[in-house]
Amino acid sequence: MSAALAVAIAVGIAAPSAYAAGQAAPASAASQSAVQRSAVAQGLYELAYSAKQNAVYVASSGGFGDDAGPAQVLKLDPATLAVQASIPLERKGFGVVLDDANDRLYVGNTVDTSVTVVDTAQGKAIGIVQLMEKKVGKDGKASYTHDLRELVVDGANSRLYVTGHSGEGSVLFVVDTQSLKLLNTIPGLGNAKAPGLALDAANKRVYTSNLLGEVVVAGTDTGKVEQRYKVTAEQPMNIALDSASPRLFITDQGSEMIRKYQGSSIEGFASKHPGKRVLVLDRNTGKELASIPADAGTLGILLDASRKRLYVTNREAGSVTGYDSDTYQQIGTWSVPTHPNSLALDAKNNVLYVTIKNGDDEAKGAKESVARIAL
C-alpha cells in the first residue's frame, strides 16, 4: 500500500473527489445562513471544543512536501473562528481528544506512532508518549509498523486509548495519563486498518471497527479482546456510542479508493454494499437495528444525546447532515464544500464545528478551513 493511501485511511480522509463546490448537497437558505467559515491553516484534521477554555482546538499537521507549514494546535475563538493562539508541535498532529476537566488535549502523531500531550490551561505541549519503536524491515530500513487514527480518553480513570493500524494486525494502545507511560498494547483488532473507536467507560468496554467489516470489543478491565462480530458495513469508519441505550452508530463510507485497497489486501473480498449510510447496531449482540441513508463519503459522526440529534460529515458530497437520533429522520443539511472531515460540539450553545479539507482545485499549500454551524 502506498504511503499516501496509508495516511489517507489512517486519518480518515477519502481520496480527492470530482465533486466541485457547486455540486455539494443542497441546503436551505435558512440553514446556510447559520454557517460561518474561516480559512485557518494547512493540513487541518480533527478538532475539539473546550467549554472550560471557551475555545476550539484544531490540529494542523502543516501538510506535506516542500510547502508544508508548521505542525501546531490552533486555539480558535468559538464565535469568530479567529486564531487566538498557536501551540507548536514537534511532530505532525492529526487526531485529537480533549479531557477538559483535566486541562489536557491529546494529539495523535499518526506517522510517528506517538501522542503529544497539550496542557490547555498553559497553552503548550508538555510531553510526547511514544507508543511503539521503529523496526528494521526486509529492505533494511527502520520504520514504524503501525500508524494511528482515533483517540478516546477516560479522564476519571486516567486512561487514554489509541488505535494502532496495521494490515498485519491492528492493536489498541493503553496509556496512563498521569505518568504518560504506555501501559498495555492489546492485540487482536484484525489484520486490517481499524478506523473507528468509542469508549463505554461505565461498562469497561472499548469499541473499534475494522476494514474486514467487523466490530471488535476490548475490555478496559481485562486488557484483551472480549467480543467481535461481523457487520454489513464494508467500510465501518467512525463510531458514536449512545450511553443511554445499547446503540452504536457507525458510518459506512463507501470510498472507491478504500474499496480498491480492500480488494487488493483482503483475500476473497467482494464488494456487496456501496456505503453512504450510517449503520445502527446493538452493541451487546451486534444485531443491526437500522441503516440510515447518507450522502457520498460518509465519515465523521457525532451524537448529541440530550437533544436526540446525530450529525455526520459527507466528505465527497461536501455536506453535514443532521438526523433525529430516535426516528432516524433527516432534520437538516448544511453545505460545507469541499471535504468536511471531523466534528465537535459546543453542547451548551448548540453549535457544531467542522474541519474542511481542500479539494484538487485548491492552490498547493492553501489553508484549510473550519466551519461554525449555529444549530
Side-chain angles (χ1 to χ4, degrees):
M1 179 169 48
S2 71
L5 176 57
V7 172
I9 295 174
V11 300
I13 65 172
S17 76
Y19 281 76
Q23 293 173 291
S28 69
S31 65
Q32 282 311 109
S33 68
V35 179
Q36 296 172 239
R37 180 169 175 157
S38 178
V40 173
Q42 293 175 253
L44 298 187
Y45 288 95
E46 294 193 339
L47 74 174
Y49 172 75
S50 167
K52 195 172 183 180
Q53 303 296 331
N54 190 31
V56 176
Y57 292 95
V58 59
S60 169
S61 69
F64 296 90
D66 294 339
D67 61 347
Q72 57 190 327
V73 167
L74 295 168
K75 181 181 180 182
L76 308 182
D77 183 300
T80 67
L81 302 179
V83 175
Q84 295 180 322
S86 170
I87 303 170
L89 301 177
E90 291 181 19
R91 302 177 179 185
K92 292 182 181 297
F94 297 91
V96 303
V97 67
L98 177 69
D99 179 1
D100 215 13
N102 293 304
D103 300 319
R104 293 289 183 269
L105 182 75
Y106 299 95
V107 183
N109 311 128
T110 291
V111 296
D112 296 295
T113 320
S114 61
V115 174
T116 297
V117 184
V118 172
D119 185 313
T120 54
Q122 297 183 62
K124 65 179 184 180
I126 59 171
I128 294 175
V129 183
Q130 189 65 51
L131 301 175
M132 187 174 278
E133 299 300 327
K134 290 183 177 180
K135 293 184 179 180
V136 177
K138 294 179 182 178
D139 58 0
K141 297 179 180 179
S143 62
Y144 295 109
T145 57
H146 291 63
D147 47 52
L148 307 181
R149 188 170 185 272
E150 293 293 275
L151 308 87
V152 294
V153 65
D154 182 356
N157 293 301
S158 304
R159 293 293 182 268
L160 175 72
Y161 301 93
V162 189
T163 48
H165 291 203
S166 170
E168 302 301 316
S170 292
V171 301
L172 183 68
F173 297 111
V174 185
V175 175
D176 184 318
T177 58
Q178 291 189 328
S179 66
L180 299 185
K181 301 292 185 184
L182 177 67
L183 290 180
N184 193 14
T185 301
I186 301 174
L189 301 193
N191 291 348
K193 297 290 183 179
L197 182 63
L199 171 68
D200 182 356
N203 292 301
K204 300 183 169 71
R205 291 294 182 264
V206 175
Y207 293 82
T208 68
S209 63
N210 66 37
L211 293 182
L212 299 173
E214 295 180 319
V215 169
V216 182
V217 188
T220 62
D221 52 347
T222 64
K224 64 180 183 180
V225 169
E226 293 293 336
Q227 187 181 14
R228 66 194 319 127
Y229 40 79
K230 292 287 291 185
V231 298
T232 61
E234 281 182 16
Q235 298 176 18
M237 299 298 285
N238 289 24
I239 302 174
L241 183 147
D242 182 9
S243 60
S245 79
R247 293 180 302 170
L248 279 183
F249 299 88
I250 306 177
T251 53
D252 184 7
Q253 187 173 51
S255 161
E256 184 58 31
M257 178 193 71
I258 295 178
R259 192 173 291 116
K260 289 178 180 178
Y261 159 71
Q262 291 171 303
S264 64
S265 63
I266 300 171
E267 186 175 350
F269 174 81
S271 181
K272 297 178 181 177
H273 199 284
K276 297 194 297 183
R277 62 173 177 161
V278 177
L279 197 63
V280 188
L281 302 176
D282 182 316
R283 65 176 177 271
N284 295 323
T285 65
K287 179 183 177 181
E288 185 171 323
L289 303 176
S291 176
I292 309 171
D295 218 328
T298 315
L299 176 62
I301 189 164
L302 186 149
L303 176 65
D304 182 358
S306 64
R307 293 185 178 90
K308 300 185 185 300
R309 291 292 182 261
L310 182 74
Y311 301 99
V312 301
T313 59
N314 305 296
R315 276 191 46 93
E316 292 181 44
S319 63
V320 173
T321 308
Y323 301 88
D324 183 304
S325 61
D326 280 355
T327 67
Y328 309 139
Q329 296 301 305
Q330 184 174 319
I331 53 90
T333 297
W334 298 267
S335 181
V336 283
T338 296
H339 300 305
N341 199 64
S342 299
L343 298 164
L345 179 71
D346 173 357
K348 180 180 178 182
N349 295 303
N350 201 22
V351 174
L352 195 66
Y353 298 93
V354 191
T355 50
I356 304 168
K357 306 293 295 176
N358 287 341
D360 278 347
D361 55 348
E362 298 289 343
K364 193 174 182 181
K367 292 180 178 180
E368 294 184 326
S369 301
V370 172
R372 179 187 190 274
I373 303 174
L375 301 167

